[in-house]
Amino acid sequence: MPGIKHLLIISIAINAGLVLKFLHDGDEWAGRSVPKGVLPEAKPANGLQTLSRATDMQDQYINLDHGDPTMYETYWKQMGDKTTLVLSGWQSISYFSDTKNICWFLEPGFANAVTRLHNLVGNAQTGNYHIVVGTGSTQLFQAALYALCPSNAPQPMSIVSAAPFYSSYPLIIDCLKSGLYKWKGDASKFNKDEPYIELVTSPNNPDGSIRQAVVNGSGGILVHDLAYYWPQYTPISFQADHDIMLFTLSKCTGHAGIRIGWALVKDKEVAKKMTKFIEISSIGVSKDSQLRAAKILDVIADTYEHTQKFDKATPFFHYGYNEMAKRWRQLRSAVSKGQTFSLPDFPVEKCNFSGQTFGTQPAFAWLKCEKAVDDCASFLRKHKILTRSGTHFGSSEKYVRISLISHQEEYGEFIQRLSLISCVYAT
């Protein structure tokens, strides 16, 4: 019997060593491509429960369902007090910011900072556009629908977006059961001869694809959500000049808690109606948030235009690009460990802003569970990874959306777990 015990001890040691090797391979996986092939028979869903790791997070759920951009916290800590803003008690007392502007609650400093940053990056035209500020792009989206839908129409305006579409679109649109508009789902299936608004999100949330309008109807109006059209996520290959373009600070700089977004609007009357909606719903937008946002945007521009002030600090978009590139390398490497998962590929283009040639590296991963796994969100939940099911995006439950912009510790733990799942289910 001592011989059997000896063999058991050796076996346990070998298995533990293999697990530790999987955990500590890290960036050595970078650059490996996702293999092609047929998924072998899957092991029981509790397979990983027999694998133990000495980490603080091993028994915790990792919540990657939402897109909380805490990844950027590290950068802004490194910048110290360069974005610190001190406001006196007498500031921001009045409702009004600029009564000569259509958007009368728009702080001039914020408007200048937005224009400056777009001109620096080259991702959107600003000349002859009206800037409307909102409490995040969600409020601006609602304002755009209010402005574009006739109040005297015989029936609600149809609102569509190509699947997979942003999961909050139907929730926002149907929330108040408005008589002005109604969610009609996937734009690629919309073929009615009636007025409609198509929402074009590019790069798309959730799958990262570069989008164009898909409905060919003559009565259509387009609203472009460009929250992710920044050089850390995708090559800036052209200067957007659409009628209505929505942006948000949360995905541009990571400051989701400030709750600031802005719209670039060509038509003066549309800008007026959007402003009216925000006036009715919230009597404007926080001045303090606008002033803080302006400071942050100006510092980003300064890291490129006045580099001598920053003592060799990494410019913001370069930092974001490098971090997103690293995370996508780690993710693709983890997926390549087996055939349980797959990821989309993205076309490579030259970025006019950075001069680099690369493929889109979205803030979210559109992960697919292959043949033997039908409900991807439930499968990952069993391994304490929380994601958002593809069903919320008008797609299949074989897909999930996973946030890639969380804290490094959380993201690192996710990569370790996904790598182990890929390895365990590979045989």
Side-chain angles (χ1 to χ4, degrees):
M1 295 305 291
I4 295 175
K5 290 182 180 179
H6 190 95
L7 288 173
L8 285 173
I9 291 171
I10 293 174
S11 176
I12 292 170
I14 291 172
N15 285 326
L18 287 172
V19 171
L20 289 173
K21 182 180 186 301
F22 292 149
L23 291 178
H24 295 292
D25 274 350
D27 285 341
E28 293 177 5
W29 303 336
R32 292 180 58 179
S33 59
V34 180
K36 305 292 184 182
V38 180
L39 179 68
E41 183 179 354
K43 294 188 176 182
N46 63 355
L48 281 185
Q49 293 175 3
T50 61
L51 302 175
S52 62
R53 301 195 304 278
T55 67
D56 293 336
M57 298 184 67
Q58 69 176 22
D59 294 325
Q60 299 178 18
Y61 281 91
I62 303 174
N63 191 346
L64 302 177
D65 172 271
H66 49 269
D68 198 21
T70 51
M71 176 188 84
Y72 293 102
E73 188 176 281
T74 300
Y75 179 85
W76 293 113
K77 282 184 176 179
Q78 292 173 356
M79 295 299 286
D81 63 356
K82 290 181 174 62
T83 56
T84 298
L85 182 68
V86 178
L87 296 175
S88 300
W90 56 266
Q91 290 181 267
S92 306
I93 286 181
S94 174
Y95 287 115
F96 300 94
S97 295
D98 183 0
T99 56
K100 295 181 180 179
N101 197 312
I102 289 175
C103 187
W104 51 266
F105 44 82
L106 172 65
E107 283 291 305
F110 178 67
N112 292 337
V114 164
T115 301
R116 180 187 180 195
L117 192 68
H118 281 305
N119 291 343
L120 170 70
V121 174
N123 61 340
Q125 293 188 14
T126 57
N128 299 319
Y129 275 87
H130 303 281
I131 298 176
V132 180
V133 65
T135 304
S137 59
T138 297
Q139 186 184 37
L140 290 163
F141 168 60
Q142 293 171 309
L145 296 184
Y146 171 82
L148 296 171
C149 295
S151 59
N152 58 352
Q155 59 185 11
M157 179 87 84
S158 295
I159 313 297
V160 297
S161 186
F165 43 73
Y166 177 39
S167 59
S168 290
Y169 283 156
L171 299 177
I172 295 168
I173 291 167
D174 289 340
C175 176
L176 298 179
K177 301 187 183 301
S178 172
L180 296 178
Y181 46 80
K182 186 175 182 180
W183 175 249
K184 288 296 182 72
D186 188 356
S188 63
K189 298 178 180 178
F190 183 80
N191 55 11
K192 295 184 178 181
D193 185 18
E194 63 184 34
Y196 67 91
I197 295 174
E198 182 177 352
L199 311 172
V200 182
T201 306
S202 186
N204 189 44
N205 176 358
D207 66 354
S209 61
I210 303 302
R211 289 285 187 86
Q212 302 289 337
V214 300
V215 183
N216 294 320
S218 59
I221 303 172
L222 303 181
V223 175
H224 285 78
D225 186 341
L226 304 181
Y228 301 95
Y229 192 47
W230 295 100
Q232 67 267 51
Y233 304 121
T234 191
I236 305 302
S237 58
F238 67 96
Q239 205 171 24
D241 63 347
H242 309 294
D243 290 342
I244 301 176
M245 299 181 286
L246 306 181
F247 296 90
T248 176
L249 197 72
S250 62
K251 298 310 184 291
C252 173
T253 73
H255 291 84
I258 295 181
R259 306 308 308 129
I260 284 289
W262 64 95
L264 300 178
V265 185
K266 277 185 180 180
D267 189 278
K268 182 178 180 179
E269 295 306 313
V270 172
K272 282 183 178 180
K273 289 195 70 176
M274 289 180 68
T275 299
K276 190 64 178 178
F277 175 89
I278 298 171
E279 175 186 331
I280 293 169
S281 61
S282 58
I283 319 180
V285 176
S286 168
K287 288 186 177 184
D288 290 2
S289 290
Q290 291 185 66
L291 293 172
R292 188 178 173 208
K295 179 71 172 179
I296 291 164
L297 297 182
D298 278 334
V299 166
I300 291 175
D302 284 343
T303 62
Y304 290 95
E305 296 176 349
H306 305 290
T307 55
Q308 69 279 4
K309 293 182 180 179
F310 294 92
D311 190 28
K312 299 181 181 179
T314 303
F316 174 75
F317 290 119
H318 283 64
Y319 170 87
Y321 166 84
N322 290 333
E323 187 63 30
M324 292 306 304
K326 180 184 74 173
R327 293 187 178 205
W328 269 97
R329 285 196 303 270
Q330 292 172 336
L331 178 61
R332 290 194 183 278
S333 178
V335 167
S336 74
K337 293 292 183 181
Q339 297 174 332
T340 307
F341 307 108
S342 62
L343 291 163
D345 293 319
F346 302 104
V348 173
E349 289 188 271
K350 182 177 180 181
C351 178
N352 296 331
F353 171 71
S354 66
Q356 294 175 296
T357 299
F358 64 100
T360 301
Q361 41 195 41
F364 296 101
W366 190 233
L367 185 76
K368 183 182 180 182
C369 284
E370 292 296 347
K371 296 179 181 178
V373 180
D374 292 324
D375 187 343
C376 198
S378 296
F379 174 73
L380 291 172
R381 180 183 284 272
K382 291 176 181 177
H383 301 296
K384 297 186 177 180
I385 301 172
L386 303 182
T387 62
R388 190 170 300 183
S389 172
T391 56
H392 295 287
F393 304 89
S395 187
S396 164
E397 65 181 4
K398 290 187 73 68
Y399 290 90
V400 292
R401 190 195 73 172
I402 300 175
S403 172
L404 270 61
I405 50 178
S406 60
H407 281 297
Q408 177 56 53
E409 181 184 20
E410 189 175 49
Y411 186 74
E413 177 67 16
F414 159 66
I415 291 297
Q416 289 180 355
R417 291 187 194 182
L418 197 71
S419 298
L420 285 170
I421 295 170
S422 294
C423 290
V424 168
Y425 286 87
T427 57

